[in-house]
Every structure is written in structure tokens, then in C-alpha cells.
């Protein structure tokens, strides 16, 4: 492969490459390493990811007691912080099966303000001192005397907590997240910001930080409703490519806030939270379509997906289906899909921006999904094979820090879905995590190693290359060498994942593994 400037100039056989040797500035001998397009993570919260990497992350806490000890140690180590920040707790994974009480957190922090998000980032625990920084929070929807905050109460406290960050803290966190991404062969991330998630300063600061710098590309989405051309212009002025990402139609399953048609199994009177109805969805999609702007929504529960697909249909009836399809609107997460939802995605060319690591973390017969929904409903979640059969474009991501940046692990999770009928081939998942992310952002010329494409690539140390398919009917032909199907690293669970040796973005090396 020959790279000229920021583009791939030529790809061919080793013998033919010798003719270029005298005219290039640098030659990289691979020594049996694998070269692939760089990954695109299609759903990231960059600052929150960096804060988890550099601060308090409870995702590996084994027990409630372990979590409280980590909170106390973090408080002791960060005495200068006005507000202590943390993430990653998941009481469903602890033997105690309960979250810390406010009194326990008050004691662990010595009475200091603490904002501690659940692993899904849709609810949070706080200390008494944190509540005192947000006047009126106890009167907002989603407040409970000793329950995790959700809804408006959570958003108000989150704004106060993140508002305590200095510019230096925010920049440190963003750099840490992007450095981690580069070290994992990720060349692009889709930043999913919005007024209910982060601040405009955080969003625009991240875009300024990465503009023209050596590191992963950041493609920004700002999740704010659009109802006019003026609204759309404001989104563009922020530097966003779309009014999409986490524009919430509902919440999350773990926090009991995803909007369901039937009640939760472990909360029989609860259907979750509906944040947008079909009329609001239609207004947003129509205004974005008319402005030539990508629209999108966060939708997890089946009722939320009914509202979103119903709203898209109304917009298509008003503007014409072709105009709506051409805009490439996208839906984040799209977990609890029924057949009619999938048909609507296909009919309106909606991209499903999905996170296979969710299934790896919470799927299966005894996982969190089964506890929340019952085994039968849980088994229907994240039907990637059905989406691909219907022709729905997929873009894979992590929703980091909800699940870690881990591209090969994400491909593995899709290929070895806990529900066998939802599995897709490793190659299909790989394409969705490389080219799929670019297509989700409206670019068809990237995510592959062909002449003219952006020179975003990664070099890997890996074992034998194989063809992995989820179904023997596919494997019978695709694994035959005569099929010409290219191999990928063996992603069988338990086999070590590839190690990134080098990442390049726009032809510039942005990561080199030490001592390689």
C-alpha cells in the first residue's frame, strides 16, 4: 500500500510495490502484521470516557463494599476537586444486589459532593452535599429520597457536576480518551453530545482540540430538537454534522427508564419514561430533512421505537420517502426491535447505530436484560442478523464509558451474540465497525483500503486469519478457499484479541506501540 498525503494512492501485490520503493519517504515493513482500515466508534462520550480513564471507575468493583472503598480512596486522592466524579456502578453485578445508600456515600466521601453515574449513565447516585449544590432538585421529576436520580433531577445534577470541571480537567480527560482510542486502532469517533448530556463548551472545546491535530477524527452530533431552519443553522454553527445522537426518546433498561409497551418484569407497574412522542419525532425529522441535516434519536424500548418509527413515517408522508431516505437519519441503540420496527428502518434507510457489547455485558439467560424483561423478551433484543437481512445499515460503537472502547471485542460480541439467531459474521461486523461508521456520517468514500480513500488504517499483531460465520449454511461456502472470502483474526471467545501496533489518521501516525 502506498500513501500520498492524506489518501491511499495505490494498493497491489508485493512485487509491484517494489517499483515504488525509490520514490517514497518512508517504508514500513509489516513482518507478518495485518493492516486494516482504522475502526470508527459510532457512539462515544469523549469527556466522560476520559474521566472514567483518569478518575473513579467502578465498573470492575466486585461488591458493594469494594465500591465504597474505592469511593473513599478516590476522595482521599482528589482533595482539591470541588465535586467528585465517578461512573460504572452496577448493583445487579454485586452479591448484595443493592446500590450504596446516600448515608454510605456521605460517609465514604467525608461529606463532600459526589456525582456517581450508573453504568448506563441514565441514573446517578449523589451525596447530600451534591444535592445542596442544586437548589430545587428535590422537587424535580426523577428525585427519590434514597433512590438513584433519573429524568430531570438527574439532568440538573449532572449539569452542576460537569460544570465544576475546569478547562484543564476537561482537556485532560478528552486527550486521555482520544489517546486510548488511537491505541486501540480507532481512527474516528462519533461524539454524541447534547444539552442533556454535556455542555456546549464541552462539545465545541472537543472539536477545537481535535481540529487539525494528530489523533482520531471527531465527528460531532448535537442532540437538540430542531423545528426550523434557524434551529438547524445553530446546530451547524456548533460544528455538528447532525441533530442526532442522544436525543432521548426514552432512557435505559438498567435504570428502568427505557419506554416499554408492557411493564418491566421486576417492576410490574413501570413502563419506563417516554420523552418524545411521534409528533415531536416527525417535527424534528421533517425540519432536519428540509435543512439537509441528519436527524437521530436515542431509542431502546419497544414503545420508544414505535414512537420514533411512527414519527419518521409521518415526516416521510409529508416530505416524500425519497427525501427522508436521502438524509440518512440514524437511531442509537435500537435494542428492543419488533418486525415492524425493522421494516420501518429498512423503508426509510435509517442507520442502526448499535453497541454489541451491551449484549455481551447484559444478555443471556441470567443477565440483566432477562431480569428486567423476562427471558422471552430479553431473547429478542439486539437482532443484528434480522437487521442485516432487511438491508438496514449498521454502525457499531461502544457508548463509552457505558462499555469500554474495544473495537475487536465489539466485533466479537456481534459475531458471538448470546442469542444465536442474532449473530452476524465477523466480516459483516467488521465492515459495520469500519465502513459502517463512515456511512452513518454520510461518507461513502472511506473505511476501506482502496486508492482514493482517506489513509486511516491500523497495523495489528495477530494470529491466524480465518473466516468466521455464525451459521454452517454460510460457513460451508464462505470458508472454502475457492470463495475468495478474506480472513480476519480468530475472534472465538477466549482467543487473545489482536494487538494494535500502529494507527494512522489522514496518513499521519497517531499511535505507535512502545518498544515495537
Amino acid at each position: 500500500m502506498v500513501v500520498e498525503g492524506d489518501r491511499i494512492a495505490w494498493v497491489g501485490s508485493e512485487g509491484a510495490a517494489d517499483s515504488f520503493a525509490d520514490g517514497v519517504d518512508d517504508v514500513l515493513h509489516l513482518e507478518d502484521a495485518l493492516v486494516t482500515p482504522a475502526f470508527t466508534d459510532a457512539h462515544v462520550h469523549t469527556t466522560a470516557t476520559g474521566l472514567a480513564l483518569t478518575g473513579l471507575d467502578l465498573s470492575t468493583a466486585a461488591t458493594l463494599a469494594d465500591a465504597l472503598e474505592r469511593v473513599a480512596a478516590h476522595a482521599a486522592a482528589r482533595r482539591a476537586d470541588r465535586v467528585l466524579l465517578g461512573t460504572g456502578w452496577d448493583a445487579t453485578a454485586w452479591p448484595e444486589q443493592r446500590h450504596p445508600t446516600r448515608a454510605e456515600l456521605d460517609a465514604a466521601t467525608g461529606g463532600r459532593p459526589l456525582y456517581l453515574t450508573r453504568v448506563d449513565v441514565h441514573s446517578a447516585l449523589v451525596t447530600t452535599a451534591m444535592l445542596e449544590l442544586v437548589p430545587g432538585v428535590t422537587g424535580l421529576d426523577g428525585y427519590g429520597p434514597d433512590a438513584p436520580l433519573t429524568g430531570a433531577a438527574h439532568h440538573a445534577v449532572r449539569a452542576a457536576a460537569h460544570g465544576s470541571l475546569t478547562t484543564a480537567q476537561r482537556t485532560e480527560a478528552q486527550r486521555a480518551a482520544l489517546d486510548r482510542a488511537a491505541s486501540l486502532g480507532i481512527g474516528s469517533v462519533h461524539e454524541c453530545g447534547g444539552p442533556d448530556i454535556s455542555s456546549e463548551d464541552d462539545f465545541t472545546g472537543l472539536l477545537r482540540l481535535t481540529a487539525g491535530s494528530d489523533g482520531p477524527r471527531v465527528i460531532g452530533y448535537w442532540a437538540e430538537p430542531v423545528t426550523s431552519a434557524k434551529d438547524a443553522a445553530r446546530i451547524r454553527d456548533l460544528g455538528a454534522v447532525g441533530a442526532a445522537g442522544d436525543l432521548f426518546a426514552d432512557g435505559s433498561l438498567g435504570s428502568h427508564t427505557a419506554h416499554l409497551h408492557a411493564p418491566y418484569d421486576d417492576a410490574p407497574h413501570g413502563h419506563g419514561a417516554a420523552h418524545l412522542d411521534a409528533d415531536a419525532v416527525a417535527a424534528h425529522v421533517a425540519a432536519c430533512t428540509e435543512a439537509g441535516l441528519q436527524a437521530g434519536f436515542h431509542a431502546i424500548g419497544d414503545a420508544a421505537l414505535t414512537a420514533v418509527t411512527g414519527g419518521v413515517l409521518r415526516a416521510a408522508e409529508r416530505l416524500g420517502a425519497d427525501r427522508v431516505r436521502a438524509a440518512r437519519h440514524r437511531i442509537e441503540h435500537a435494542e428492543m426491535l419488533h418486525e415492524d420496527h425493522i421494516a420501518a428502518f429498512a423503508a426509510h434507510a435509517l442507520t442502526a447505530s448499535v453497541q454489541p457489547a451491551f449484549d455481551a455485558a447484559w444478555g443471556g439467560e441470567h443477565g440483566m436484560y432477562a431480569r428486567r424483561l423476562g427471558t422471552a423478551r430479553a431473547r429478542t433484543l439486539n437482532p443484528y442478523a434480522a437487521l442485516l437481512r432487511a438491508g438496514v445499515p449498521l454502525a457499531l460503537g461502544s457508548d463509552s464509558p457505558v462499555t469500554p472502547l474495544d473495537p475487536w471485542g465489539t466485533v466479537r460480541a456481534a459475531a458471538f451474540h448470546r442469542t444465536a439467531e442474532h449473530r452476524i459474521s465477523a466480516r459483516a461486523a467488521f465492515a459495520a465497525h469500519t465502513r459502517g461508521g463512515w456511512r452513518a456520517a454520510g461518507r461513502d468514500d472511506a473505511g476501506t483500503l482502496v486508492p482514493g480513500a482517506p489513509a486511516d488504517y491500523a497495523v495489528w499483531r495477530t494470529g491466524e486469519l480465518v473466516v468466521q460465520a455464525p451459521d454452517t449454511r454460510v460457513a460451508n461456502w464462505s470458508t472454502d478457499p475457492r470463495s475468495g472470502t478474506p480472513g480476519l483474526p480468530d475472534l472465538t471467545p477466549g482467543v487473545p484479541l489482536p494487538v494494535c501496533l500502529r494507527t494512522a489518521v489522514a496518513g499521519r501516525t497517531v499511535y505507535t506501540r512502545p518498544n515495537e
Side-chain angles (χ1 to χ4, degrees):
M1 184 169 74
V2 177
V3 172
E4 184 174 356
D6 63 353
R7 298 273 165 173
I8 295 172
W10 178 89
V11 177
S13 68
E14 184 176 357
D18 291 339
S19 64
F20 290 94
D22 293 337
V24 298
D25 297 322
D26 298 295
V27 177
L28 174 64
H29 295 284
L30 295 177
E31 299 176 354
D32 295 326
L34 171 69
V35 181
T36 71
F39 285 99
T40 293
D41 191 312
H43 194 120
V44 173
H45 304 287
T46 306
T47 302
T49 297
L51 291 171
L53 291 170
T54 60
L56 176 59
D57 181 3
L58 298 182
S59 61
T60 59
T63 66
L64 171 62
D66 181 17
L68 288 169
E69 288 175 6
R70 296 188 190 201
V71 170
H74 182 73
R78 306 283 296 200
R79 297 191 181 278
D81 291 1
R82 181 167 177 255
V83 173
L84 300 167
L85 302 171
T87 191
W89 64 270
D90 182 2
T92 66
W94 297 339
E96 298 89 348
Q97 290 291 296
R98 71 170 180 88
H99 60 76
T101 66
R102 192 163 295 153
E104 288 170 332
L105 292 175
D106 286 346
T109 60
R112 295 171 61 192
L114 168 70
Y115 170 71
L116 187 62
T117 58
R118 191 184 180 279
V119 63
D120 58 16
V121 200
H122 282 270
S123 60
L125 297 168
V126 296
T127 55
T128 303
M130 185 72 236
L131 289 175
E132 292 171 349
L133 295 178
V134 190
V137 67
T138 58
L140 296 177
D141 289 342
Y143 174 81
D146 202 27
L149 303 181
T150 62
H154 178 210
H155 296 162
V157 171
R158 174 164 52 196
H162 287 177
S164 72
L165 288 172
T166 66
T167 301
Q169 284 177 304
R170 184 179 292 118
T171 300
E172 175 194 18
Q174 292 170 347
R175 289 191 186 281
L178 295 172
D179 287 348
R180 174 62 64 88
S183 75
L184 295 169
I186 297 171
S188 302
V189 300
H190 294 187
E191 166 66 14
C192 292
D196 289 333
I197 303 166
S198 58
S199 67
E200 290 186 13
D201 287 344
D202 180 89
F203 184 76
T204 56
L206 172 64
L207 296 182
R208 283 195 303 272
L209 176 69
T210 57
S213 66
D214 287 343
R217 304 172 191 262
V218 175
I219 299 166
Y221 287 91
W222 186 252
E224 192 167 345
V226 170
T227 57
S228 67
K230 182 178 179 181
D231 292 341
R234 204 184 81 78
I235 299 294
R236 287 196 176 93
D237 288 345
L238 290 173
V241 301
D246 279 332
L247 182 53
F248 295 117
D250 66 345
S252 73
L253 291 165
S255 292
H256 291 101
T257 53
H259 188 207
L260 312 182
H261 284 305
Y264 285 86
D265 267 34
D266 59 352
H269 302 294
H271 290 256
H275 300 309
L276 296 171
D277 61 17
D279 287 340
V281 170
H284 181 71
V285 171
C288 287
T289 301
E290 289 181 317
L293 188 68
Q294 198 174 20
F297 305 89
H298 161 122
I300 287 178
D302 54 357
L305 286 158
T306 295
V308 167
T309 53
V312 173
L313 175 59
R314 292 184 194 181
E317 289 172 342
R318 174 182 159 191
L319 300 178
D322 288 345
R323 289 185 69 188
V324 169
R325 282 194 290 265
R328 300 193 189 188
H329 304 309
R330 54 188 282 173
I331 312 299
E332 309 301 314
H333 315 311
E335 292 199 79
M336 206 171 174
L337 291 160
H338 299 167
E339 288 185 7
D340 54 340
H341 300 140
I342 294 173
F345 272 56
H348 299 112
L350 299 175
T351 295
S353 171
V354 297
Q355 296 74 41
F358 288 7
D359 173 73
W362 303 307
E365 298 293 311
H366 305 291
M368 181 270 287
Y369 290 156
R371 290 196 289 275
R372 292 287 187 267
L373 302 173
T375 303
R377 275 195 296 176
R379 201 177 286 129
T380 68
L381 263 60
N382 302 302
Y384 303 140
L387 286 164
L388 286 184
R389 282 196 302 270
V392 176
L394 294 184
L396 303 192
S398 63
D399 199 9
S400 181
V402 176
T403 60
L405 299 168
D406 180 15
W408 284 115
T410 296
V411 174
R412 170 186 280 171
F416 292 91
H417 197 296
R418 289 180 180 273
T419 304
E421 60 261 37
H422 300 329
R423 293 174 180 170
I424 59 177
S425 71
R427 178 150 293 278
F430 177 78
H433 213 351
T434 50
R435 194 171 191 179
W438 282 95
R439 286 180 165 179
R443 292 277 301 272
D444 292 334
D445 63 337
T448 58
L449 302 182
V450 297
D456 292 16
Y457 61 90
V459 181
W460 307 91
R461 183 171 64 233
T462 188
E464 181 183 4
L465 302 184
V466 299
V467 176
Q468 289 181 295
D471 188 303
T472 55
R473 292 170 300 174
V474 177
N476 284 339
W477 66 263
S478 66
T479 56
D480 187 321
R482 290 173 297 179
S483 72
T485 303
L488 284 171
D490 185 353
L491 300 178
T492 304
V495 173
L497 292 172
V499 174
C500 185
L501 304 178
R502 180 185 296 258
T503 305
V505 174
R508 300 190 301 271
T509 297
V510 300
Y511 169 77
T512 303
R513 185 175 173 83
N515 303 317
E516 294 287 350

